[in-house]
Amino acid sequence: MSINRGRVRWQCRRALLELDLVFTRFLEREFDRLTDDQVADLADLLHLDDYELWAMVNGSKPCEVDRWKEMITLLSQR
């Protein structure tokens, strides 16, 4: 199954301003270099509620899904 990168990029637009800013930087810096597996992990992460995802990105909640940890680390970089 092929992941639609354009759709994933669109889903990175978030209602929570802080998270939207994180994704804006992430898309500029990292998105085009992601492997298909990484894009699939990102697509899964994007199903989370903004506040739950933001808590993992800002470090106030640990990421408990091993395959998401790499993506959370990439998103957390300033």
Side-chain angles (χ1 to χ4, degrees), residues 9 12 17 19 34 42-44 49 53 56 64-65 71:
R9 183 182 283 276
C12 286
L17 176 61
L19 200 52
L34 298 179
L42 176 59
D44 285 345
D49 170 84
L53 182 53
M56 286 190 280
E64 296 178 2
V65 179
M71 196 56 51

Side-chain angles (χ1 to χ4, degrees), residues 15-54:
L16 184 64
L17 176 61
E18 295 88 342
L19 200 52
D20 196 51
L21 293 173
V22 165
F23 274 109
T24 298
R25 285 191 305 267
F26 171 80
L27 291 172
E28 292 172 358
R29 188 179 59 228
E30 302 288 343
F31 188 77
D32 292 334
R33 300 188 306 202
L34 298 179
T35 66
D36 288 344
D37 287 341
Q38 289 172 315
V39 174
D41 291 341
L42 176 59
D44 285 345
L45 266 177
L46 293 172
H47 288 95
L48 296 175
D49 170 84
D50 278 2
Y51 292 100
E52 185 176 0
L53 182 53
W54 174 241

Side-chain angles (χ1 to χ4, degrees), residues 2-15:
S2 176
I3 298 291
N4 182 328
R5 287 177 177 256
R7 179 175 297 224
V8 172
R9 183 182 283 276
W10 177 256
Q11 291 172 336
C12 286
R13 296 172 49 114
R14 307 308 283 200

